[in-house]
Amino acid sequence: MKMTVLFKGALVSSAMIVTSLGSANAQACQETQFSSKNAELYLKAETEFITNGNNAGALAALQQLRQLELNCYEDSAAQRLAAAIKIDSGDFAGAARDFERMLASGIIPAADRTKTLYDISQIYLNADNQPKALEFLTKWIQAGGRPNRDTKWQLAVLNNKQNRNREAVRWAEEVFRDDGPNAARQVYDFLIYLYDDLGELGKKAQLLEQLLIKNPSERKLWDAISGDYYKANDERKAFEVQKAMYLGGILQTEDELMRVVNFYNRFNAPYQAAKTLEKEMNAGRISKNYDRLELLANLYQVAREYKRAIPVIEEAARISPNGQMYERLGRSYSELRDWGKAENALQQAINKGGLKDQGLAWVLIGQSRYEREDRAGARDAFRTASNRAGRGWLDFMRSEDATEAALVRFEAESLVQDLKSEQKRCKELAVFGPDQMPEGCSTVEGRIEEAEAAVAALDA
């Protein structure tokens, strides 16, 4: 194990031990060497541990040593060796406690205290004691420790494990800066998770977009960006992401494609919604059923693309279980003032049945006939409608007829009056002799009789 090698290496060299303890001696301990008997037991323990790999034998020798009276130098060396043996044996928690006791007792020289704090944190990491590992890493930094990239990553992860994400994100950001543009995906994902947890959606979006540049076809990145816009109630941006996914060929299922259609419609682009829906139905990726055809027709009509809507309505009408779509087709032809086709579609609607208001269909038929100057046929249709609208049309036509009759009578009576005025002028001119009379005077009486007969005929 890496930690075992690290700490064994720190203890197997007698020269290293002497140097370390020499520092301790300068600080607090005045002793500089073992007594002969104690040295024998210590060397036995060290030999069993380092040379023979006999940890049990080494601990037994140390146990004997500790039963003797030890000076400060001997006690420090014995504790260090005991900690190293525990690390080698996998007793990381025990080794960490030993080092903590050494720190507390002042055995560790001041020059080594900072490094020891770091070592303890790593021992606790191996013992899977994350709170203690974080505690000693924090103490190490407070004591002047300068973390490298890997230690910063440890700090980020440990803080996250302790639900300290505000501190975790600080260290993760430093790792990201250290790694630069080629940061590992693990770093991106961890930061994205932290930003999401802390509600820093702007920073999260920036990272997602950077990842998207690197991995433009990765679906979950697109979904994450779109989802964040949804959570932020920014449906417009969510739509733009969905549209980009559609144009990039990422969306494939019918539900996904219909989401794009509905987005276009929601954001007041019914024509684009209709074009997308029609394209995907023709491609077989969206079902071409009655409901979809009805939606397509609605979209084209809202977009005022009436001519484009008609073939769709015709197709829907053929598969419709009732005549409602034929009625709608009739209305569409009426909007285009194609009255003959309008009547034909409306007749099919009535014949197929299932209309919510058959009378309304007859009113529309009557209107189509009226527009084609088939007044008799229009009256028949309005009577058949037998509803308020039909009666209104009949009243309107009667009013038209009455107005026309009144106009004819007015013109006929006006003609009689004009002719009588002409006759009066002819009589006044008669004194000048027949040669001076206007040519029409000779026929005025006959014309008066014809005009009066025409008026009389109106009363018959």
Side-chain angles (χ1 to χ4, degrees):
M1 296 166 72
K2 182 179 179 182
M3 285 299 301
T4 302
V5 172
L6 171 65
F7 283 96
K8 235 185 193 182
L11 292 170
V12 293
S13 167
S14 298
M16 237 180 228
I17 293 172
V18 172
T19 300
S20 175
L21 293 178
S23 298
N25 179 55
Q27 295 290 327
C29 184
Q30 301 301 313
E31 301 293 337
T32 61
Q33 61 184 3
F34 279 90
S35 65
S36 59
K37 184 176 180 180
N38 291 350
E40 182 180 344
L41 283 172
Y42 180 83
L43 289 173
K44 180 180 178 182
E46 189 178 58
T47 300
E48 290 294 333
F49 172 51
I50 298 171
T51 305
N52 300 331
N54 182 6
N55 290 351
L59 287 173
L62 281 177
Q63 183 65 27
Q64 286 182 282
L65 179 64
R66 285 176 172 175
Q67 291 175 358
L68 303 175
E69 184 177 345
L70 304 176
N71 62 39
C72 58
Y73 180 88
E74 293 166 338
D75 184 38
S76 173
Q79 289 193 57
R80 285 176 174 274
L81 183 56
I85 294 170
K86 287 180 180 179
I87 291 172
D88 189 67
S89 301
D91 182 9
F92 297 105
R97 287 193 295 271
D98 286 348
F99 273 101
E100 286 192 64
R101 282 194 295 270
M102 284 187 273
L103 276 175
S105 66
I107 290 176
I108 305 295
D112 294 336
R113 289 180 66 84
T114 299
K115 179 181 182 303
T116 302
L117 289 168
Y118 177 80
D119 292 342
I120 293 173
S121 75
Q122 301 307 296
I123 295 171
Y124 274 125
L125 271 182
N126 278 269
D128 199 27
N129 189 335
Q130 295 173 354
K132 294 293 284 184
L134 178 59
E135 175 189 339
F136 277 88
L137 270 180
T138 303
K139 289 179 178 179
W140 171 66
I141 292 172
Q142 291 169 347
R146 305 181 75 173
N148 59 20
R149 185 265 181 211
D150 291 339
T151 311
K152 291 173 184 177
W153 182 250
Q154 285 183 355
L155 285 161
V157 173
L158 288 171
N159 275 289
N160 167 245
K161 295 291 186 181
Q162 301 307 308
N163 297 315
R164 298 174 56 186
N165 282 348
R166 183 61 61 187
E167 189 68 11
V169 79
R170 179 173 76 86
W171 290 111
E173 285 176 338
E174 289 204 22
V175 171
F176 188 75
R177 283 193 291 270
D178 289 346
D179 290 350
N182 296 320
R185 180 60 182 268
Q186 179 188 34
V187 178
Y188 275 97
D189 289 344
F190 188 48
L191 263 177
I192 287 168
Y193 159 75
L194 292 174
Y195 286 143
D196 185 70
D197 182 74
L198 295 171
E200 296 186 15
L201 299 183
K203 290 184 177 180
K204 178 184 175 183
Q206 289 178 0
L207 281 189
L208 286 170
E209 289 169 5
Q210 289 179 41
L211 275 179
L212 202 56
I213 293 171
K214 293 183 174 184
N215 308 281
S217 61
E218 187 171 339
R219 172 65 186 270
K220 70 177 183 179
L221 295 176
W222 290 97
D223 287 338
I225 294 172
S226 179
D228 282 343
Y229 284 134
Y230 272 123
K231 286 193 289 187
N233 293 319
D234 194 340
E235 288 196 343
R236 181 74 197 194
K237 288 186 178 178
F239 165 48
E240 293 300 328
V241 174
Q242 291 287 316
K243 182 168 69 174
M245 292 170 72
Y246 170 67
L247 296 175
I250 295 174
L251 303 183
Q252 297 294 327
T253 69
E254 182 166 355
D255 286 345
E256 291 169 345
L257 298 172
M258 282 304 303
R259 188 184 307 133
V260 174
V261 171
N262 292 331
F263 261 130
Y264 273 123
N265 189 33
R266 188 180 309 173
F267 289 105
N268 201 29
Y271 178 72
Q272 194 60 44
K275 292 292 290 180
T276 301
L277 178 56
E278 187 170 40
K279 172 186 174 183
E280 297 303 335
M281 283 200 299
N282 291 338
R285 300 206 298 171
I286 291 180
S287 305
K288 186 180 282 190
N289 54 36
Y290 177 80
D291 290 338
R292 296 285 191 250
L293 288 169
E294 182 179 29
L295 173 60
L296 180 57
N298 288 342
L299 292 170
Y300 272 135
Q301 287 189 313
V302 170
R304 306 185 69 81
E305 292 285 340
Y306 301 117
K307 290 184 178 180
R308 289 180 179 271
I310 283 178
V312 180
I313 299 173
E314 287 176 335
E315 188 172 0
R318 286 193 291 270
I319 65 175
S320 172
N322 54 52
Q324 292 178 13
M325 194 57 72
Y326 273 116
E327 180 185 28
R328 182 169 174 179
L329 181 61
R331 289 173 177 272
S332 297
Y333 278 127
S334 297
E335 289 167 351
L336 297 174
R337 304 188 68 79
D338 193 336
W339 301 111
K341 289 182 178 179
E343 179 174 353
N344 180 61
L346 291 162
Q347 288 285 5
Q348 291 186 74
I350 292 170
N351 294 339
K352 199 165 186 178
L355 301 183
K356 294 179 181 178
D357 187 352
Q358 184 170 299
L360 182 57
W362 278 110
V363 170
L364 291 172
I365 290 173
Q367 183 182 358
S368 72
R369 291 175 178 176
Y370 173 85
E371 295 292 345
R372 288 175 289 156
E373 299 184 0
D374 179 6
R375 296 180 70 84
R379 289 191 188 92
D380 289 342
F382 292 141
R383 292 191 190 100
T384 303
S386 188
N387 57 17
R388 182 176 180 180
R391 290 190 292 273
W393 267 100
L394 289 170
D395 290 343
F396 171 71
M397 291 184 72
R398 280 193 290 270
S399 175
E400 277 192 325
D401 291 341
T403 300
E404 178 67 19
L407 180 60
V408 170
R409 173 178 290 280
F410 173 77
E411 290 177 347
E413 289 177 347
S414 295
L415 178 59
V416 171
Q417 291 301 318
D418 289 343
L419 290 171
K420 286 183 177 181
S421 296
E422 182 182 350
Q423 183 183 47
K424 182 179 178 181
R425 287 194 297 275
C426 286
K427 288 179 179 180
E428 291 172 352
L429 293 173
V431 296
F432 296 104
D435 293 339
Q436 298 299 317
M437 297 280 286
E439 184 177 348
C441 288
S442 61
T443 61
V444 68
E445 289 184 5
R447 286 186 284 131
I448 290 174
E449 290 177 3
E450 290 177 2
E452 288 177 340
V455 172
L458 294 174
D459 297 327

